[in-house]
Structures are given as structure tokens and as C-alpha cells.
Amino acid sequence: MKQFIIRVYGLIINQKNEALLSDEFVLDTKMTKFPGGGLEFGEGLLDGLKREFQEECNGQEIENIRHFYTTDFYQKALFFDDAQLISIYYLADLKQPLKFKISEKAFDFKIDAGETQSFRWVKIKDLKEDEITFPIDKFVLNKLKATFNE
């Protein structure tokens, strides 16, 4: 059955022009991406984005949410047969105080202990496409570099 998969992501950029990345282990795969995830049926985009941050970031709230980019080309969904991915990216700020740990290194968790996610800051100018897992995130990274060049 042909379907659309809708995903919503938060682009969190700090004062040092660093982007918040999520390192995850899902479906037996290590992945580095921008924080966010799948929209649930009956949910609006902003509600979905806020829910994702609440779920993934220990109850973290976000604010100052503004649209950055929506997929405007065909992107096949990687984990679904016969599905098209539509991704919506929003710039947002983390509401203080922070409620989750920021790591210094990638994949700073123990899979065998049941942990599957960590977060870290990376300078946008230093971030390379091959450090990001998904094709659409690589595309958005280049848009971020054009917007937040130093």
C-alpha cells in the first residue's frame, strides 16, 4: 500500500553556532540525526514536535518555534516499503532549564544497559554530510550551513 510517512524535526542552534544532534540505536542501526520523529495520526506538526522533545529529552520543552524547511522533492522512506517520506524541520530553542544530558562524544550510551540515545553539540561549520545518517538530513545540513555560516 502506497503511503506517506511524515516526520518532524527540531533544529536547535546555540549561540556558538552549534547544532544539537541525536545519536541513536534503533532497528539494530546506529544513526545520527536531528532530534525529532514520526508524526502520530491526529496530531498537528507543532504538537508532534513538542511531544518528540518531551519523549526523547526527559520532558524538555521547546519554544520560539519557526519553520525552516519542508521536503520539496521525492524521498523514498528507508524503513518502509512503497512509502514516501515528507520531513518538516523547525528551528526552535530549548526552554531553560535543560532537562537532559548533553554528551561530549557520539553514541555516549551503553546499548546492553538498554540505553539507545544521546545528544551532543557540533559546530555547524565542522559538521560533514557523512556524519549524518539520512539523505534528507544531509540536505538540511547544507541549508543550515548556508544560513548559519560564520
Side-chain angles (χ1 to χ4, degrees):
M1 180 169 133
K2 295 180 181 181
Q3 61 181 329
F4 291 99
I5 305 296
I6 302 173
R7 300 187 65 81
V8 61
Y9 295 98
L11 302 172
I12 311 298
I13 312 299
N14 67 16
Q15 298 82 5
K16 300 176 188 175
N17 273 356
E18 296 171 320
L20 184 67
L21 294 181
S22 174
D23 296 307
E24 303 178 22
F25 183 75
V26 179
L27 301 172
D28 290 327
T29 305
K30 280 186 169 183
M31 57 187 75
T32 298
K33 63 182 202 58
F34 296 110
L39 195 67
E40 295 179 357
F41 184 80
E43 191 172 54
L45 293 170
L46 297 183
D47 289 336
L49 181 62
K50 290 174 184 178
R51 175 189 50 75
E52 284 290 335
F53 271 85
Q54 291 272 322
E55 289 176 2
E56 294 184 6
C57 302
N58 198 32
Q60 183 66 50
E61 293 183 46
I62 55 175
E63 59 188 358
N64 193 22
I65 302 167
R66 56 243 185 251
H67 181 262
F68 183 75
Y69 177 74
T70 299
T71 309
D72 57 2
F73 56 89
Y74 174 75
Q75 177 66 60
K76 182 182 179 337
L78 293 179
F79 298 111
F80 300 88
D81 291 331
D82 213 13
Q84 180 175 344
L85 178 66
I86 298 173
S87 297
I88 301 101
Y89 294 81
Y90 289 94
L91 291 166
D93 299 324
L94 299 172
K95 192 170 184 179
Q96 298 299 319
L98 289 185
K99 297 184 177 185
F100 64 103
K101 177 185 169 194
I102 305 283
S103 298
E104 295 291 322
K105 62 180 184 172
F107 301 99
D108 190 16
F109 53 83
K110 294 180 176 83
I111 295 169
D112 57 353
E115 299 171 11
T116 60
Q117 186 173 32
S118 62
F119 297 90
R120 62 190 164 101
W121 294 111
V122 178
K123 282 210 170 288
I124 295 171
K125 70 176 183 140
D126 297 336
L127 192 54
K128 296 176 179 47
E129 278 188 29
D130 63 356
E131 297 176 79
I132 302 291
T133 303
F134 300 114
I136 186 66
D137 283 356
K138 293 174 190 278
F139 182 84
V140 169
L141 171 60
N142 288 317
K143 292 183 91 46
L144 275 177
K145 285 183 177 234
T147 303
F148 290 93
N149 58 11
E150 296 183 335

